[in-house]
Amino acid sequence: MRLLLDTCTFIWHADDPASLSPAALAALSDSANQLFVSAVTVVEICIKVSVGKLTLSAPLELLLDLAHTKAGILPLPLDQ
């Protein structure tokens, strides 16, 4: 199944997995699922960080890289 992570789910998965429900963790951990994060989500996170409404434990670029290399989360460009 293809799963598009919304902003909260992506942040929690990358930065605070304990905030996710057991069902969400199971879906994100299931290797049969393809995980995606939209470019819009990345922009939303950048805006929230820049205006001080969101603090991340690491730079967003690092969290995105770890999400891709460790969890296989793929970027979804705006044209898809």
Side-chain angles (χ1 to χ4, degrees):
M1 178 180 340
R2 297 171 134 188
L3 302 176
L4 177 61
L5 281 62
D6 70 359
T7 303
C8 289
T9 304
F10 175 77
I11 291 170
W12 292 336
H13 184 267
D15 218 27
D16 187 16
S19 294
L20 293 167
S21 70
L25 282 172
L28 295 170
S29 301
D30 186 342
S31 61
N33 293 332
Q34 288 181 294
L35 307 177
F36 296 92
V37 64
S38 170
V40 174
T41 294
V42 176
V43 170
E44 181 180 358
I45 293 170
C46 287
I47 291 169
K48 288 183 184 238
V49 168
S50 72
V51 299
K53 290 190 173 195
L54 176 64
T55 303
L56 300 172
S57 65
L60 179 56
E61 184 176 301
L62 177 60
L63 293 176
L64 288 166
D65 186 52
L66 290 172
H68 177 69
T69 57
K70 298 214 183 246
I73 298 175
L74 301 170
L76 188 63
L78 291 175
D79 62 352
Q80 292 189 3

